[in-house]
Amino acid sequence: MHAHWIPTSKLDDAQHRWLEGFLANQPWYRFYYSCAMDDLRGDLDNRAFVIGRHGQGLLMLMAFQGIDVVSIVGEVETDELAAVAASHKPGEVHCDPGQMDAIVAALGTRAEASDGFLYMERRGGSAGDGEGATRLGLADVPRVLRFYREHYPETTLSPWMLQDWPFAGVVEDGELVACAGTVVMDAERTAAHLGHFATHPGHRGRGLAQRCGRELIAAHAERGVEHLMLGVAEANRAAVRVYQHLGFGVVLHRHLVRVGPGTPI
């Protein structure tokens, strides 16, 4: 039987102390934990954890609308890795190469594909003018959701992300043709995880993703947020080049396993 997920609201004091200590030298995942606490203070209990019994690693889960994303940090036992199969929702698992076989075995036929995955970050202010990109907010939720639903239905997007987090897009003839946004941001507004970079298939090759990225970075810089992060499939060389042009560099190389929907194990 696999280990059980503990929602952020159910973590006890000892577990919080362990997480703070274990993640002290893991800035990427310390950021995720900090955001989990920020969300909980706002009555959003959308994260969960499995702490390895030997104290050498953990699993972190973030629940989006219709999808779960799991990150494995450090070393955990095989039965603990099996917790990735506990949900019926589709999703992603981010892991080290040595954990792949156990994860695929736990998921069975739900393991759809695996890719190399790059974690990238940039520090500093603006990356230049967005050249026609515009900032998006709550009033734009319907067309943002429609854009991803029609062109990129696998995107992990929830409407609440646009409530207080920067998004940018290019609108032509009243239609959204490119977009980029913010996936996670801490309450102190010191760091943010970007994502949702997408361009309408009929408008590729025009540099629209870079325009959205520059406008998005500028929006964060105006708020004082200068530490920005994002993740991208290693095989998506076009996207990697866009992010490099925007000033991002690779800081971590992992693997991503895509998970199909199914019956929880």
Side-chain angles (χ1 to χ4, degrees):
M1 184 175 179
H2 55 69
H4 293 289
W5 289 101
I6 306 172
T8 310
S9 61
K10 300 299 183 183
L11 292 168
D12 61 31
D13 290 344
Q15 289 165 332
H16 280 296
R17 287 193 298 271
W18 182 88
L19 285 163
E20 290 164 1
F22 182 75
L23 297 174
N25 295 316
Q26 302 268 6
W28 197 286
Y29 300 110
R30 184 175 69 245
F31 168 74
Y32 284 168
Y33 169 69
S34 173
C35 291
M37 298 304 297
D38 293 341
D39 283 347
L40 188 61
R41 285 187 282 272
D43 295 324
L44 185 60
D45 194 13
N46 64 343
R47 320 294 175 93
F49 303 82
V50 172
I51 296 175
R53 71 175 66 91
H54 299 302
Q56 299 299 312
L58 77 152
L59 286 73
M60 310 176 72
L61 178 149
M62 181 173 183
F64 292 92
Q65 184 173 337
I67 190 170
D68 289 340
V69 178
V70 176
S71 295
I72 300 169
V73 189
E75 300 178 5
V76 294
E77 296 298 315
T78 300
D79 65 308
E80 294 164 341
L81 286 175
V84 299
S87 170
H88 70 281
K89 293 165 62 179
E92 301 174 355
V93 180
H94 298 200
C95 64
D96 290 332
Q99 298 164 329
M100 288 276 293
D101 288 346
I103 291 169
V104 170
L107 291 168
T109 57
R110 294 180 63 194
E112 295 184 339
S114 63
D115 304 286
F117 197 74
L118 303 178
Y119 286 33
M120 305 180 73
E121 69 177 20
R122 81 182 299 276
R123 294 178 184 271
S126 175
D129 181 31
E131 302 177 39
T134 186
R135 298 181 191 180
L136 306 173
L138 276 177
D140 299 292
V141 166
R143 68 174 163 188
V144 170
L145 293 179
R146 184 172 64 253
F147 172 75
Y148 287 106
R149 183 173 62 249
E150 292 178 355
H151 304 296
Y152 302 94
E154 73 282 1
T155 300
T156 56
L157 178 68
S158 296
W160 53 263
M161 292 177 179
L162 283 86
Q163 182 171 344
D164 192 39
W165 296 347
F167 271 68
V170 175
V171 178
E172 295 184 351
D173 297 325
E175 292 296 322
L176 188 65
V177 296
C179 190
T182 306
V183 180
V184 182
M185 186 160 61
D186 65 357
E188 288 75 24
R189 302 295 195 266
T190 60
H193 188 297
L194 309 187
H196 312 309
F197 282 77
T199 301
H200 186 294
H203 293 267
R204 291 175 182 162
R206 299 173 50 201
L208 301 185
Q210 283 198 52
R211 294 187 203 177
C212 291
R214 286 193 292 267
E215 188 65 25
L216 186 60
I217 291 168
H220 279 291
E222 290 174 10
R223 296 173 174 225
V225 180
E226 297 190 349
H227 181 197
L228 302 175
M229 300 168 277
L230 55 80
V232 59
E234 185 176 15
N236 191 350
R237 300 310 302 169
V240 172
R241 286 193 295 271
V242 168
Y243 303 146
Q244 289 172 333
H245 284 308
L246 290 171
F248 287 86
V250 177
V251 294
L252 192 60
H253 185 176
R254 305 205 77 194
H255 279 261
L256 179 151
V257 179
R258 300 188 188 280
V259 183
T263 303
I265 298 174

